[in-house]
């Protein structure tokens, strides 16, 4: 193994977030259409407005990703009783999300190679990330976790990565960060002189000139780097 341990993102790195999200949002919309006879376009518009409102008000914190707050605000916009419906919509969303979560090919080969030498470094609230960890069986391979709820800030804030290094009891030169988001995962870790692998499965374009940044399209390519 090239590194003593890995720092590993979860969402859209280990699985396709967009697929799970699409199924989950569709379930919420269908529930609202059936229960409240509201047009789909109106529901989707309210959801997006609620999401942006929460993000703007709680920028760079774990709470800015909290779907319960999204649905509370959405219900208020649609004049649906949020006390009665917000938690129900939240559960519909995440239950459907988890039912449709599928790991990328090659994920478990990497996890087995670095078993118990992995710290998950992820935005979002701890509760739902633990549910994802259980669903993906990451608890069999990973020894520690840092969420933005714990750190108080989202990536690329350096505190996220510093906490991970503390939990692993390792130096920045001894680990590698793997993630899909160039700004949050790659630049955030790189600012602390942590080697990085950008899992660019969406074939995005970024300009960089740094030998400590490697780019991979698949987990098979990631394995070649570590």
């Amino acid at each position: 193994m090239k590194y003593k341990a890995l720092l590993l993102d979860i969402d859209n790195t280990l699985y396709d977030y967009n697929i799970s999200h699409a199924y989950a949002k569709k379930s919420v919309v269908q529930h609202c259409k059936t229960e409240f006879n509201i047009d789909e376009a109106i529901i989707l518009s309210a959801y997006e407005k609620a999401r942006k409102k929460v993000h703007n008000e709680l920028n760079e914190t774990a709470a800015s990703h909290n779907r319960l707050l999204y649905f509370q605000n959405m219900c208020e916009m649609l004049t649906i009783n949020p006390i009665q419906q917000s938690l129900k919509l939240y559960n519909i969303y995440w239950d459907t999300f988890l039912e449709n979560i599928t790991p990328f090919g090659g994920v478990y080969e990497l996890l087995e190679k670095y078993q118990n030498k992995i710290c998950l470094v992820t935005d979002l609230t701890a509760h739902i990330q633990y549910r994802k960890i259980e669903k993906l069986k990451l608890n069999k391979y990973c020894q520690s976790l840092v969420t933005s709820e714990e750190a108080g800030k989202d990536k690329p804030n350096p505190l996220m990565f510093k906490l991970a290094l503390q939990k692993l009891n390792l130096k920045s030169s001894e680990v590698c960060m793997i993630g899909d988001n160039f700004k949050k995962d790659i630049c955030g870790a790189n600012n602390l002189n942590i080697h990085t692998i950008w899992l660019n499965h969406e074939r995005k374009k970024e300009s960089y000139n740094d030998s400590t940044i490697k780019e991979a399209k698949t987990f098979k390519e990631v394995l070649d780097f570590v």
Side-chain angles (χ1 to χ4, degrees):
M1 294 188 299
K2 185 175 179 180
Y3 301 99
K4 290 187 178 181
L6 299 179
L7 311 185
L8 190 59
D9 177 51
I10 297 177
D11 297 304
N12 219 38
T13 294
L14 302 182
Y15 72 96
D16 192 322
Y17 169 86
N18 295 321
I19 290 176
S20 294
H21 172 64
Y23 278 111
K25 190 162 69 170
K26 184 177 180 180
S27 292
V28 169
V29 170
Q30 187 58 49
H31 175 82
C32 291
K33 285 173 63 178
T34 302
E35 290 293 315
F36 309 112
N37 194 28
I38 303 174
D39 184 77
E40 181 174 335
I42 294 174
I43 299 167
L44 289 170
S45 176
Y47 175 83
E48 286 304 318
K49 288 177 182 177
R51 184 184 66 81
K52 289 177 181 177
K53 179 175 181 288
V54 173
H55 269 269
N56 289 337
E57 292 176 352
L58 301 171
N59 188 34
E60 296 184 1
T61 68
S64 70
H65 308 284
N66 193 327
R67 300 305 188 276
L68 187 56
L69 296 180
Y70 294 5
F71 293 130
Q72 176 184 307
N73 278 268
M74 186 185 85
C75 286
E76 290 167 354
M77 292 176 187
L78 295 172
T79 63
I80 297 170
N81 188 325
I83 301 300
Q84 293 178 354
Q85 295 298 323
S86 298
L87 184 59
K88 184 181 293 184
L89 296 177
Y90 176 87
N91 288 330
I92 289 171
Y93 178 91
W94 283 120
D95 288 348
T96 306
F97 190 104
L98 292 168
E99 285 172 7
N100 291 280
I101 198 169
T102 304
F104 287 129
V107 164
Y108 294 106
E109 286 84 348
L110 177 70
L111 294 174
E112 287 172 4
K113 184 173 181 178
Y114 276 86
Q115 188 167 9
N116 296 321
K117 297 179 177 66
I118 299 170
C119 181
L120 298 165
V121 183
T122 175
D123 290 342
L124 234 156
T125 54
H127 177 260
I128 189 57
Q129 297 308 76
Y130 270 102
R131 288 188 68 189
K132 292 174 189 173
I133 288 166
E134 184 176 10
K135 176 67 175 181
L136 291 167
K137 297 180 171 56
L138 303 181
N139 49 325
K140 294 183 178 181
Y141 306 96
C142 305
Q143 71 180 70
S144 52
L145 167 71
V146 175
T147 64
S148 57
E149 183 174 27
E150 174 185 4
K153 290 290 184 180
D154 276 351
K155 292 177 287 185
N157 191 286
L159 183 56
M160 293 282 289
F161 305 99
K162 288 179 180 179
L163 282 173
L165 292 173
Q166 288 174 15
K167 292 186 180 191
L168 292 168
N169 195 28
L170 292 173
K171 300 175 183 177
S172 59
S173 60
E174 297 174 315
V175 304
C176 179
M177 173 72 199
I178 301 171
D180 73 292
N181 190 301
F182 190 81
K183 178 183 176 182
K184 286 176 169 262
D185 299 318
I186 306 309
C187 294
N190 198 247
N191 287 337
L192 292 175
N193 298 314
I194 297 171
H195 282 215
T196 57
I197 299 174
W198 180 28
L199 185 62
N200 187 20
H201 55 83
E202 294 182 341
R203 273 54 171 185
K204 294 181 178 180
K205 300 292 184 182
E206 294 287 351
S207 297
Y208 61 92
N209 183 22
D210 191 321
S211 61
T212 66
I213 299 176
K214 305 297 183 184
E215 184 175 343
K217 303 293 191 300
T218 66
F219 272 94
K220 184 178 183 301
E221 294 177 17
V222 170
L223 281 164
D224 293 336
F225 291 131
V226 298

